[in-house]
Amino acid sequence: MSVSTVAWAVSYIEKFQFRLVAIPKGTKGPVDPGWNLPGRYVTDPEVARQRWNNGGSEGIGVVLGPSGVCSADIDLPEHAELVLGDLGID
């Protein structure tokens, strides 16, 4: 049995204090205007339970800055290893 989208959303908020946004099925990112503004993304586990209780029609996105995380899109791993190695990152 796989873990539901609702369970993941709640876990991300409770364990990591991530700020979440819905990603509509078939898209690669949020589509609602202002999705990254305070009050527009989900920070409460109960709101997450309501938002993602949709049978898998929406994915979960993490609003990076407010969540205190970053993302890297690495197309050439061998080059990324060199750069990250110079920064002391394994």
Side-chain angles (χ1 to χ4, degrees):
M1 176 183 236
S2 65
V3 179
S4 71
T5 303
V6 173
W8 281 115
V10 169
S11 177
Y12 292 151
I13 292 171
E14 290 180 342
K15 290 183 180 181
F16 306 112
Q17 291 76 51
F18 284 169
R19 277 63 172 147
L20 306 179
V21 63
I23 307 292
K25 190 173 187 174
T27 67
K28 293 189 174 204
V31 296
D32 293 333
W35 61 267
N36 59 341
L37 299 174
R40 298 297 306 269
Y41 44 80
V42 179
T43 61
D44 181 274
E46 279 307 312
V47 174
R49 282 184 184 90
Q50 295 168 13
R51 179 68 198 232
W52 279 280
N53 191 18
N54 56 24
S57 66
E58 293 181 312
I60 304 168
V62 176
V63 184
L64 300 179
S67 296
V69 297
C70 68
S71 174
D73 180 9
I74 298 173
D75 295 318
L76 299 170
E78 61 276 9
H79 292 177
E81 287 174 4
L82 291 171
V83 172
L84 295 173
D86 280 349
L87 297 171
I89 300 170
D90 183 11

